Amino acid sequence: MRKITYWLIVSFVTLITAWLISKPNLLGKLGLIIYRIHFLKTFPRALATVAAVVIVVAVSVEWVSSVRSSLLRNGLLLFLLMACVALEVKTHYDFQSWAISHTGKKLRVGAYLLPLLLMFMVSSPWWIGTKKKS
């Protein structure tokens, strides 16, 4: 896979994730008001939030990919990947509680999709071929 295709996929999934997260049902909207979560109320705010997370992870992955030692690089990438898996598990357990489980399918799918996107990005140096040889 080429880098341009990779970034097009990441951009497209970022847009979809932000759109899904910004569309909770009535209980989800009420929860956003009660808990004062202003950064997910509208699509532009959700897009800025999701894009900020994606940019931080992209910069982290590029920084880790520039490490010369392959053992250290792979260890750091594995640590980041396990952190994303832990985020996915935490999201799953958060959506098991009564209050959050009734926020709507779109918000739920968007919340599950974001850690999957991050896992895709963290694992990319292993299959794109961008890592440096030591």
Side-chain angles (χ1 to χ4, degrees):
M1 177 184 282
R2 302 181 89 173
K3 273 285 207 183
I4 202 104
T5 308
Y6 167 77
W7 284 111
L8 285 174
I9 291 170
V10 168
S11 300
F12 182 69
V13 175
T14 300
L15 285 171
I16 289 175
T17 303
W19 182 79
L20 288 170
I21 288 176
S22 68
K23 300 293 181 190
N25 64 8
L26 186 59
L27 285 175
K29 289 179 184 177
L30 185 64
L32 292 177
I33 292 169
I34 290 172
Y35 293 114
R36 294 188 176 126
I37 302 174
H38 302 291
F39 51 89
L40 297 178
K41 280 187 177 179
T42 62
F43 174 70
R45 289 180 179 182
L47 181 61
T49 303
V50 172
V53 171
V54 167
I55 288 170
V56 166
V57 170
V59 168
S60 299
V61 169
E62 288 298 320
W63 175 73
V64 168
S65 295
S66 68
V67 173
R68 289 189 182 266
S69 169
S70 64
L71 184 64
L72 180 61
R73 179 180 55 242
N74 288 335
L76 288 171
L77 285 172
L78 188 62
F79 175 76
L80 287 174
L81 186 62
M82 290 300 113
C84 292
V85 169
L87 182 63
E88 184 74 31
V89 170
K90 182 189 178 319
T91 302
H92 174 72
Y93 282 118
D94 285 347
F95 276 98
Q96 296 298 317
S97 70
W98 186 87
I100 300 177
S101 66
H102 296 293
T103 56
K105 294 287 183 195
K106 290 179 186 174
L107 176 66
R108 189 177 216 167
V109 169
Y112 281 113
L113 189 59
L114 183 59
L116 289 175
L117 173 63
L118 300 181
M119 282 186 248
F120 174 76
M121 292 174 65
V122 168
S123 67
S124 68
W126 285 318
W127 47 267
I128 283 186
T130 58
K131 61 183 177 184
K132 297 184 184 345
K133 296 180 181 175
S134 50

